[in-house]
Amino acid sequence: MKTFVILFFAILSEVIATSALKFSEGFTKPIPSVIVAVGYGISFYLLSIALKTMPIGIAYAIWSGVGLVLTVIAGIILWRETLDWARALILLNASQL
């Protein structure tokens, strides 16, 4: 259970870093750029801790799948991106997991 909590925070920090990446506008804005670096650093560190007790295939599948869904949701909320067929398909498939 502890491993899944660590993995969840790895995913959350990755989604925050990815969202900040868009806000950084090509690393031209300093605060979002720092958030990107710190967020990805935390994410990979926490992922490495989760990998001590979890198989890499399972951990990466969860990390990338949940991260993908949360990133789609962040795009819809933060940048008013439309829910096109590709994003809808991602969310629909994720709901069946």
Side-chain angles (χ1 to χ4, degrees):
M1 184 67 172
K2 181 181 173 184
T3 302
F4 283 102
V5 172
I6 292 169
L7 184 59
F8 171 76
F9 282 108
I11 294 164
L12 190 61
S13 62
E14 187 268 334
V15 171
I16 290 168
T18 301
S19 298
L21 188 58
K22 184 156 177 129
F23 282 119
S24 76
E25 296 182 13
F27 291 106
T28 59
K29 295 190 174 183
I31 292 175
S33 298
V34 169
I35 294 170
V36 170
V38 171
Y40 282 133
I42 291 170
S43 179
F44 283 113
Y45 172 71
L46 292 174
L47 180 61
S48 73
I49 292 172
L51 290 175
K52 288 181 179 180
T53 57
M54 183 179 280
I56 191 167
I58 301 296
Y60 192 73
I62 294 169
W63 187 64
S64 60
V66 174
L68 180 90
V69 170
L70 292 178
T71 302
V72 168
I73 293 169
I76 292 168
I77 293 170
L78 296 174
W79 297 285
R80 311 252 189 261
E81 293 177 350
T82 59
L83 186 59
D84 58 16
W85 67 269
R87 290 182 186 98
L89 187 61
I90 288 168
L91 294 176
L92 178 65
N93 285 335
S95 70
Q96 295 176 3
L97 294 178

